[in-house]
Amino acid sequence: MHLTTLAGHALSRGRTPAETYALLSRRTRKPVPSARAVCLALAIPLAETARRLDDCYDALLADPRPGSEHDTGELLEALGVFDVPKPLTDTELAVVEHFLVAIEAMGGIRPGHQHGLSRWFTTGNLGAAYLSLAAARPLPRTGDPALYWATLVTAGELLTTPVADTRLKYALAHCRTQAARHP
């Protein structure tokens, strides 16, 4: 049976992408084709799949150790290899553009935070990205607080129109307060 078909079957039975990868990799002893099959079963385009697997090949897939399939699957999932891209609307694209301006105005960002934001942009989880940025703050020496908070206010207004999660409303109120403090 084709690996992608097997991956699709395992996913349809409620297995996570990491579990599906481990199952296929353990059976075939071929980590790259197993990871590719999971991505394709998730309808991640082939070119994007190839890029993602190339990015982590040396660290995770080049020299697999027997018995490490589960751990490798979990790492692939944590790295976002199995994240299904969500097409964004024009409004959502505008929100992402505002987020990118805010990230620049931060004056620096931790790699883990940047990775999380990138995953949320890919999967369309812009509410989580907004909450994360609203909880952060610009760096004192290199950041631009006025631009940071003003940009987050604009992004928050786009996210909360017409209806919003209560957490987003509170985050927007926080950003407005901060913007007023940093004119």
Side-chain angles (χ1 to χ4, degrees):
M1 192 178 269
H2 193 266
L3 277 181
T4 303
T5 304
L6 285 172
H9 180 71
L11 292 166
S12 73
R13 296 275 190 216
R15 290 189 186 260
T16 66
E19 292 168 337
T20 302
Y21 166 82
L23 174 76
L24 295 177
S25 185
R26 202 172 14 259
R27 286 185 180 172
T28 65
R29 300 279 183 232
K30 296 179 180 178
V32 175
S34 298
R36 183 181 308 111
V38 174
C39 289
L40 295 176
L42 291 167
I44 298 170
L46 183 58
E48 178 63 14
T49 294
R51 186 195 63 75
R52 291 178 186 191
L53 295 179
D54 284 346
D55 286 350
C56 65
Y57 177 77
D58 290 333
L60 294 174
L61 302 171
D63 190 26
R65 291 186 333 237
S68 67
E69 297 88 1
H70 179 74
D71 292 339
T72 301
E74 292 293 326
L75 284 169
L76 290 169
E77 195 164 309
L79 289 171
V81 171
F82 302 134
D83 286 352
V84 178
K86 177 190 176 276
L88 301 177
T89 66
D90 289 341
T91 301
E92 290 169 329
L93 288 171
V95 168
V96 170
E97 288 300 319
H98 287 296
F99 287 165
L100 295 174
V101 170
I103 291 166
E104 185 70 27
M106 278 180 108
I109 188 168
R110 295 181 339 270
H113 192 189
Q114 179 66 42
H115 176 69
L117 290 167
S118 177
R119 289 189 70 193
W120 288 325
F121 296 167
T122 298
T123 59
N125 193 350
L126 301 184
Y130 185 71
L131 294 172
S132 175
L133 289 169
R137 60 183 171 271
L139 296 174
R141 292 186 182 162
T142 56
D144 182 344
L147 179 60
Y148 182 76
W149 296 113
T151 304
L152 286 182
V153 167
T154 304
E157 288 169 348
L158 289 171
L159 277 175
T160 58
T161 304
V163 178
D165 177 322
T166 303
R167 297 173 306 152
L168 294 177
K169 290 179 183 177
Y170 284 123
L172 176 56
H174 169 72
C175 291
R176 283 184 175 135
T177 301
Q178 293 301 317
R181 290 183 184 162
H182 301 93

